[in-house]
Amino acid sequence: MAAVVPGTLGTLQASRARLAASCCVRLGPEWRLPGSLMGPRVAPAIWARGWAPAVGGSAPRRGYSSEVKTEDELRVRYLEEENRGIVVLGINRAYAKNSFSKNLIKMLSKAVDALKSDKKVWTIIVRNEVPGIFCAVINEIANLPGPTIAAIDGLALGGGLELALACDIRVAASSAKMGLVETKLAIIPGGGGTQRLPRAIGMSLAKELIFSARVLDGQEAKAVGLISHVLEQNQEGDAAYRKALDLAKEFLPQGPVAMRVAKLAINQGMEVDLVTGLAIEEACYAQTIPTKDRLEGLLAFKEKRSPRYKGE
């Protein structure tokens, strides 16, 4: 029987405590973990800076507020009425087939920073607003606290697929085309593709797709587990977006704090062993107990009505 190295257990426990504490930090400075899981202090989270709406903009459409940003390359829309709480990030660089650009990345980064600290935002949909194209990548999408859905209605090649992989859920039209094709150019996926694709579909298959630079359609992508839903494309060319919106509506009635904490527990837990993952889950669960939403959920159940969550 192998001897136990002195201090090993303590080191593991300290490591698990740090991982659990990191969950708390990512949730923001108002969250605290039980003393049994961490020390007396939690490093403050770095809160994102907000940004003001641009002057002018297009007239509101039914179900939409005025566009927050009016630059053509990125359109940020806060949906209203029954869709309130859903934000759509629409990439629109038709002249460059939605390819990666410094300006687009700057705008995406700014938008993501604002969304991170906006508690009125519950779910985010990333889509193309150019028919047949879905592209550009930013790792910050993966760090958004709320659910994110990638709606792939056309091409998602290279950086476009990497952006989709950074989202929690992916849906696509059957006519969509997806692939990490960088090896055709004698380079490798450099926006997280070599790390996120294996986590999504398994190492062996991910290697096969990257080595071959193979492009999949929607049905093939669904078969390998790359996307959750595949739809026949409609006349408007936005079947995936419509499905993404339906999913986002399913999320709206749920407790937004609970969804954010659940996402954090899943993401953090998938990177560690089961015991550490369970400690992370315990720490995250503890954050839901003192919330007003939890009390509202109990009251709504008692009164036999739908809960009215506020994300508090």
Side-chain angles (χ1 to χ4, degrees), residues 129-150:
E129 296 205 347
V130 180
I133 300 170
F134 181 87
C135 203
V137 59
I138 181 170
N139 288 336
E140 290 182 38
I141 292 287
N143 294 323
L144 281 166
T148 54
I149 307 171

Side-chain angles (χ1 to χ4, degrees), residues 259-283:
M259 287 196 298
R260 292 183 179 208
V261 175
K263 174 177 175 175
L264 184 59
I266 294 168
N267 287 353
Q268 294 284 323
M270 289 299 291
E271 303 301 321
V272 298
D273 63 272
L274 178 59
V275 174
T276 305
L278 290 172
I280 290 172
E281 180 185 76
E282 180 185 354

Side-chain angles (χ1 to χ4, degrees), residues 14-146:
S15 176
R16 289 167 184 157
R18 286 194 297 271
L19 280 166
S22 73
C23 296
C24 176
V25 172
R26 291 182 62 185
L27 283 170
E30 73 269 31
W31 299 102
R32 294 293 181 269
L33 295 180
S36 60
L37 292 174
M38 59 168 292
R41 296 184 58 191
V42 175
I46 301 175
W47 284 96
R49 292 174 294 177
W51 44 281
V55 177
S58 61
R61 295 161 54 192
R62 178 172 175 78
Y64 287 85
S65 67
S66 296
E67 293 180 6
V68 176
K69 297 291 286 184
T70 58
E71 289 91 336
D72 288 335
E73 293 192 349
L74 179 67
R75 296 172 181 170
V76 183
R77 295 191 178 100
Y78 288 72
L79 305 194
E80 294 185 337
E81 299 174 3
E82 71 275 9
N83 298 326
R84 187 177 300 275
I86 301 171
V87 173
V88 180
L89 297 180
I91 299 170
N92 181 42
R93 296 189 76 230
Y95 60 92
K97 295 187 178 180
N98 277 8
S99 61
F100 190 77
S101 75
K102 289 182 179 179
N103 186 50
L104 179 58
I105 280 300
K106 181 179 179 181
M107 293 167 63
L108 274 169
S109 182
K110 215 170 190 180
V112 168
D113 276 349
L115 293 171
K116 281 180 181 177
S117 56
D118 190 340
K119 293 184 178 180
K120 294 182 180 180
V121 175
W122 293 11
T123 301
I124 296 160
I125 298 174
V126 183
R127 69 177 298 220
N128 67 290
E129 296 205 347
V130 180
I133 300 170
F134 181 87
C135 203
V137 59
I138 181 170
N139 288 336
E140 290 182 38
I141 292 287
N143 294 323
L144 281 166

Side-chain angles (χ1 to χ4, degrees), residues 184-206:
K184 283 188 176 181
L185 301 175
I187 57 175
I188 70 169
T194 63
Q195 302 306 303
R196 292 195 176 99
L197 187 61
R199 285 168 168 79
I201 66 173
M203 184 184 297
S204 180
L205 187 52

Side-chain angles (χ1 to χ4, degrees), residues 198-226:
R199 285 168 168 79
I201 66 173
M203 184 184 297
S204 180
L205 187 52
K207 287 178 178 177
E208 180 181 330
L209 295 181
I210 291 173
F211 295 167
S212 64
R214 188 180 305 156
V215 175
L216 307 178
D217 62 25
Q219 295 290 352
E220 292 169 328
K222 176 68 167 61
V224 301
L226 180 55

